């Protein structure tokens, strides 16, 4: 008994491929160096998917870097033209830039030019053609940096992953009887009042299998069909839904029982795809369940009620809570009991039903009851 408790506790902390909040626990190793350039080719996706700390670092570096680079160019032009203090100036010397006499003032002029501040203290004189070309180039590059960084920040804010945070699954799954069948049940809820249009639900069972040829397949995927009472496609996701998978002969859970379930090694990944009603962006919500998170012989508590004012009330305090119910020990036991009940019912139909109002009367053949 002690060994079994330790084994179960160890399995609860097994590594998942998909965490409870939907992140994939996988890393790639030994990638060829040339393949790293693919991230630079798809630079937009790379910038959108990097962490916020790197986006902010890129934001600061792109602006300050461009200001500093152009300040060096402005300082070089001023020095070449002899505008700096200490340089030998001839009579009638014409400056290219007013009030740029050091690297600091050149940096301030670059900043004021690219951000269109224009305090008026530093300005082009218009006597140098190079300064005109340089200010055009800096203005165009500044506009490009502004558009790019605004696009990256807006794209990160509007990622569908954020919408997926407001869709939650129950912490555990349960196995119990539903509509005369043994089913695996999961709950899912949309925490926003806006709907997910065209919602679809499905699952994948991940496990390690061995082929008849002796090949071991790690993370072998098996399709798991989940349905609700109204179907499995285009769900009306206005309130929490209970998804169920019927455990029959075609189900990969057919050989399981209440005793063997905690000892299994698999991961059930559940997916919910939909389109956000407010933004029209597609999103996917994922979660996973390991055998220790599947409760055999339990059923979810009801969470939807109707208030006195006529509104429907959802009690999320019971969202993941379950209660023990009478459930067959295994699928084979349930089918055997069902076959026995069907057999007894069939025999009763053959034998007929006794009519308690019918009386049997014996008629003796020796008695003549005919009168002339």
């Amino acid at each position: 008994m002690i060994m079994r408790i330790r084994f179960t506790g160890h399995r609860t902390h097994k590594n998942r491929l998909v965490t409870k909040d939907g992140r994939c626990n996988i890393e790639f190793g030994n990638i060829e160096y040339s393949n790293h350039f693919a991230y630079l080719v798809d630079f937009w996706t790379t910038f959108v998917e990097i962490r916020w700390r790197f986006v902010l670092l890129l934001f600061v570096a792109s602006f300050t870097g461009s200001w500093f680079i152009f300040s060096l160019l402005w300082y070089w032009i001023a020095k070449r033209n002899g505008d700096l203090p200490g340089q030998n100036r001839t009579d009638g010397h014409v400056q290219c830039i007013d009030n740029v006499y050091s690297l600091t003032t050149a940096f301030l002029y670059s900043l004021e030019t690219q951000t269109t501040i224009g305090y008026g203290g530093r300005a082009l004189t218009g006597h140098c053609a190079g300064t005109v070309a340089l200010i055009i180039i800096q203005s165009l590059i500044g506009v490009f940096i502004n558009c790019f960084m605004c696009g990256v920040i807006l794209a990160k804010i509007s990622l569908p992953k954020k919408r997926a945070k407001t869709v939650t699954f129950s912490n555990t799954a349960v196995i119990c009887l539903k509509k005369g069948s043994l089913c695996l049940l999961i709950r899912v809820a949309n925490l926003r009042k806006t709907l997910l249009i065209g919602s679809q639900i499905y699952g994948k069972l991940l496990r390690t299998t061995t082929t008849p040829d002796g090949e071991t397949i790690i993370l072998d995927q098996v399709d798991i069909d989940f349905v609700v009472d109204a179907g499995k496609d285009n769900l009306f996701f206005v309130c929490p839904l209970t998804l169920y998978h019927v455990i029959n002969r075609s189900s990969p859970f057919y050989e399981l029982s209440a005793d063997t379930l905690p000892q299994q090694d698999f991961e059930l990944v559940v997916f919910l795809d939909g389109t956000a009603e407010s933004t029209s962006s597609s999103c996917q919500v994922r979660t996973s369940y390991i055998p220790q998170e599947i409760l055999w012989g339990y059923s979810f508590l009801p969470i939807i009620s109707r208030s006195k004012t006529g509104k429907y009330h959802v009690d999320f305090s019971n969202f993941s809570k379950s209660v023990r119910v009478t459930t067959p020990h295994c699928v084979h036991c349930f089918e055997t009991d069902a076959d026995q009940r069907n057999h007894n019912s069939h025999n009763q139909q053959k034998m007929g039903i006794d009519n308690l109002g019918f009386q049997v009367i014996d008629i003796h053949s020796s008695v003549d009851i005919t009168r002339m």
Side-chain angles (χ1 to χ4, degrees):
M1 181 63 68
I2 297 177
M3 293 179 60
R4 181 177 179 182
I5 293 176
R6 289 180 178 176
F7 175 76
T8 303
H10 175 73
R11 299 296 295 227
T12 303
H13 296 87
K14 71 180 292 291
N15 293 329
R16 304 171 181 263
L17 178 65
V18 179
T19 60
K20 297 296 286 185
D21 57 356
R23 292 177 298 175
C24 295
N25 183 24
I26 190 170
E27 63 179 11
F28 300 99
N30 300 325
I31 301 178
E32 296 183 0
Y33 182 77
S34 59
N35 292 335
H36 290 285
F37 290 100
Y39 294 99
L40 297 178
V41 174
D42 189 17
F43 66 92
W44 177 254
T45 305
T46 302
F47 285 129
V48 172
E49 291 183 349
I50 60 177
R51 297 177 180 270
W52 272 107
R53 61 175 70 98
F54 299 113
V55 172
L56 297 178
L57 178 62
L58 177 64
F59 180 87
V60 175
S62 60
F63 282 104
T64 56
S66 63
W67 297 337
F68 181 73
I69 291 174
F70 280 100
S71 69
L72 295 178
L73 296 177
W74 291 120
Y75 181 77
W76 175 77
I77 291 176
K79 184 177 181 180
R80 183 182 180 184
N81 192 54
D83 298 340
L84 300 180
Q87 291 181 318
N88 296 325
R89 299 182 183 181
T90 60
D91 294 337
H93 176 75
V94 179
Q95 292 185 344
C96 291
I97 312 170
D98 289 334
N99 297 324
V100 173
Y101 46 83
S102 64
L103 184 59
T104 302
T105 56
F107 180 81
L108 293 175
Y109 176 72
S110 175
L111 187 153
E112 295 170 8
T113 300
Q114 189 167 328
T115 57
T116 66
I117 295 177
Y119 290 120
R122 280 169 285 271
L124 298 181
T125 60
H127 296 287
C128 301
T131 58
V132 177
L134 185 59
I135 197 172
I136 293 176
I137 295 174
Q138 184 175 5
S139 299
L140 294 177
I141 292 179
V143 171
F144 175 79
I145 295 176
N146 288 335
C147 295
F148 182 80
M149 294 308 305
C150 289
V152 170
I153 294 175
L154 180 61
K156 286 189 68 67
I157 293 176
S158 60
L159 279 177
K161 295 180 181 179
K162 308 304 178 183
R163 179 63 177 91
K165 298 295 183 182
T166 57
V167 178
T168 181
F169 287 89
S170 57
N171 295 329
T172 58
V174 297
I175 295 179
C176 62
L177 291 177
K178 181 177 178 64
K179 294 184 177 180
S181 300
L182 197 61
C183 300
L184 185 144
L185 279 67
I186 296 173
R187 262 184 180 165
V188 60
N190 179 18
L191 302 181
R192 288 188 178 272
K193 293 185 178 180
T194 54
L195 301 180
L196 285 177
I197 303 173
S199 300
Q200 296 181 349
I201 190 73
Y202 57 96
K204 297 288 185 179
L205 183 66
L206 308 179
R207 58 185 178 181
T208 301
T209 59
T210 303
T211 62
D213 299 332
E215 179 184 2
T216 301
I217 302 177
I218 301 177
L219 297 181
D220 185 25
Q221 301 183 15
V222 181
D223 291 333
I224 303 294
D225 294 329
F226 283 95
V227 296
V228 295
D229 294 335
K232 63 177 182 179
D233 297 331
N234 299 323
L235 304 177
F236 186 45
F237 204 8
V238 69
C239 61
L241 299 176
T242 300
L243 316 172
Y244 61 92
H245 165 73
V246 180
I247 304 178
N248 49 27
R249 294 182 181 273
S250 61
S251 172
F253 303 114
Y254 183 75
E255 300 296 333
L256 296 181
S257 66
D259 294 333
T260 60
L261 176 61
Q263 304 172 5
Q264 300 300 311
D265 185 14
F266 64 81
E267 182 176 351
L268 175 61
V269 184
V270 184
F271 302 86
L272 175 65
D273 298 338
T275 302
E277 184 181 28
S278 55
T279 61
S280 299
S281 59
S282 301
C283 65
Q284 183 183 84
V285 191
R286 300 179 294 268
T287 192
S288 68
Y289 299 92
I290 58 177
Q292 289 72 27
E293 296 172 343
I294 302 177
L295 306 179
W296 191 294
Y298 285 81
S299 179
F300 288 119
L301 292 175
I303 59 175
I304 301 178
S305 60
R306 193 169 183 177
S307 62
K308 297 180 179 179
T309 58
K311 291 185 178 181
Y312 291 94
H313 176 71
V314 179
D315 184 11
F316 278 98
S317 63
N318 293 332
F319 180 73
S320 297
K321 293 182 179 180
S322 57
V323 61
R324 183 178 291 276
V325 294
T326 302
T327 306
H329 183 266
C330 61
V331 184
H332 296 284
C333 303
F334 174 71
E335 291 183 347
T336 302
D337 294 341
D339 293 340
Q340 185 65 33
R341 291 193 299 268
N342 293 334
H343 179 71
N344 294 337
S345 176
H346 183 68
N347 290 338
Q348 289 180 0
Q349 291 178 1
K350 282 187 174 182
M351 295 175 61
I353 301 176
D354 293 336
N355 187 354
L356 300 179
F358 181 79
Q359 295 182 357
V360 180
I361 303 176
D362 294 334
I363 301 178
H364 300 283
S365 57
S366 58
V367 179
D368 187 4
I369 58 176
T370 304
R371 295 183 180 179
M372 298 300 297

